[in-house]
Amino acid sequence: MRAVSVWYCCPWGLLLLHCLCSFSVGSPSPSISPEKKVGSQGLRFRLAGFPRKPYEGRVEIQRAGEWGTICDDDFTLQAAHVLCRELGFTEAIGWTHSAKYGPGTGRIWLDNLSCRGTEGSVTECASRGWGNSDCTHDEDAGVICKDQRLPGFSDSNVIEVEHQLQVEEVRLRPAVEWGRRPLPVTEGLVEVRLPEGWSQVCDKGWSVHNSHVVCGMLGFPGEKRVNMAFYRMLAQKKQHSFGLHSVACVGTEAHLSLCSLEFYRANDTTRCSGGNPAVVSCVLGPLYATFTGQKKQQHSKPQGEVRVRLKGGAHQGEGRVEVLKAGTWGTVCDRKWDLQAASVVCRELGFGTAREALSGARMGQDVSKRYECANFGEQGITVGCWDLYRHDIDCQWIDITDVKPGNYILQVVINPNFEVAESDFTNNAMKCNCKYDGHRIWVHNCHIGDAFSEEANRRFERYPGQTSNQIV
């Protein structure tokens, strides 16, 4: 089993522009001359899935009259470059994994796709062969292309999926416009962006589950009751533009677009008859409770021991999921790990809905071997990238010539003076119980510095018969 990571639990709406982890920073974009005609004979391509923009989506290929997908195993930005050109775009700016745009159907045409990025066709890339795959559609790959078309591109091999109305953006608009208002906005009219602009949502049949989904989208862990009498009074004095009605969420959806809903037709003149604009009030998470009243209210609640945390992430709200059990921190297996499960963790930590659920130890594995003690080969420790070191850095001797027999704590600290910038310094220390009889050493109970709860760590520090240690 592999450790699992939650990625981008968005703190609040203004952070929705965070880039996906699959973007490859610094990877060169292969150039292609305008006169070069790309495309694969006998193949057709399209972008599918939901929600998405016209230049992104799940990659689907038609071969021998049958549509299929591509597995995300070994998928890279270089492969995305080739596929985006197949679709008529100049280059890729990112790619997605784990069926971000929803699982496809039919065959999985390509697996372990390996491209240099300069190929003129996906048929020139290495793979396991057409139709040879051990993946499921939960591993469908997607691409995010640059919104710029290739000059003179012949798109006869590109199939455009029928465009449908989609809910891509949601916001809360305060009902009272005057005066300074605090950010983030936690209460207001629910508005969705449609092709004709921002529109309100009819509140007929609106439920607390709908509010829960909206708050989660905007980065809030929960919702609270609204003074509807006040908003009904305001609604009578204003004109409204309704775009959605009959919204029915289960409450576990990661996005409002995944709920059952209906769009008003253009010629519908009786929109939201007898109803009012939907209003939602969200609860700020503890990290963003910036108002004095909310701080006092939170401090008055008893604070239990933290039992879930994120480690190894570069930003607030991302990292490897760790849980505390029996005084020891451990990880979570990524089997059946999905966006709904990740959202539970994010909300428990005071964030909103998870932006993405990562598997395969993308935020690093926990006390795992990542090096070899030998006089040959490349070695290193990795979290998201490979760092190569010489063998004489990984493996070093500890001189115990003058150490007397006894019980000790062996501690190894990396970057002790914080001279190298890191996203997380708390996992730089490793401690072990150590017993030395003058001839042999027994080392046991090894863990990184913050792997134990405070109580378990106090018991560890009171090692029976421990001899005073001198930190060098």
Side-chain angles (χ1 to χ4, degrees), residues 79-315:
H81 280 311
V82 176
L83 288 164
C84 282
R85 292 200 303 273
E86 294 272 27
L87 291 157
F89 297 95
T90 56
E91 60 180 322
I93 59 173
W95 64 277
T96 66
H97 58 89
S98 304
K100 175 179 172 60
Y101 299 101
T105 57
R107 301 281 294 275
I108 298 179
W109 279 123
L110 293 172
D111 190 3
N112 299 113
L113 184 64
S114 177
C115 304
R116 298 185 306 274
T118 57
E119 295 86 349
S121 166
V122 72
T123 59
E124 300 173 18
C125 300
S127 71
R128 296 180 60 167
W130 289 95
N132 183 12
S133 172
D134 59 359
C135 299
T136 68
H137 283 295
D138 289 332
E139 301 170 84
D140 284 343
V143 296
I144 306 168
C145 303
K146 185 176 182 179
D147 191 14
Q148 180 179 344
R149 306 293 293 187
L150 282 171
F153 178 80
S154 176
D155 60 356
S156 59
N157 66 324
V158 178
I159 302 297
E160 292 289 343
V161 177
E162 181 181 357
H163 180 71
Q164 298 177 345
L165 283 176
Q166 299 178 2
V167 176
E168 295 181 356
E169 293 185 61
V170 178
R171 73 180 183 186
L172 295 181
R173 182 173 63 82
V176 180
E177 300 291 345
W178 62 82
R180 295 181 59 186
R181 60 174 183 267
L183 291 175
V185 177
T186 59
E187 180 175 308
L189 308 181
V190 180
E191 294 190 336
V192 296
R193 184 190 287 275
L194 300 178
E196 60 271 18
W198 289 97
S199 300
Q200 285 83 47
V201 181
C202 182
D203 70 349
K204 295 177 69 174
W206 188 265
S207 69
V208 66
H209 300 302
N210 300 350
S211 299
H212 191 71
V213 173
V214 170
C215 288
M217 282 182 62
L218 299 176
F220 303 113
E223 71 289 335
K224 60 182 179 180
R225 296 185 62 180
V226 181
N227 181 5
M228 289 307 302
F230 169 74
Y231 285 97
R232 290 193 187 99
M233 179 183 66
L234 288 180
Q236 297 174 359
K237 302 178 181 179
K238 293 187 177 182
Q239 292 288 334
H240 298 284
S241 173
F242 292 102
L244 285 181
H245 68 98
S246 303
V247 179
C249 301
V250 176
T252 58
E253 295 88 348
H255 197 283
L256 192 66
S257 61
L258 302 177
C259 302
S260 174
L261 52 84
E262 294 184 28
F263 293 90
Y264 280 110
R265 297 184 180 89
N267 59 356
D268 194 337
T269 57
T270 59
R271 298 188 175 191
C272 200
S273 177
N276 294 295
V279 179
V280 165
S281 182
C282 302
V283 178
L284 280 171
L287 292 176
Y288 296 95
T290 56
F291 309 114
T292 304
Q294 293 182 354
K295 280 186 177 180
K296 289 182 179 178
Q297 184 179 4
Q298 289 181 354
H299 290 324
S300 64
K301 297 180 181 179
Q303 297 292 326
E305 186 177 20
V306 176
R307 296 189 176 274
V308 180
R309 69 183 183 184
L310 301 180
K311 301 292 290 184
H315 303 283

Side-chain angles (χ1 to χ4, degrees), residues 351-374:
F351 299 98
T353 303
R355 296 295 307 280
E356 190 167 1
L358 296 181
S359 58
R362 290 286 294 276
M363 293 291 179
Q365 294 182 350
D366 184 25
V367 199
S368 297
K369 183 178 180 182
R370 294 296 185 92
Y371 54 86
E372 294 180 357
C373 291

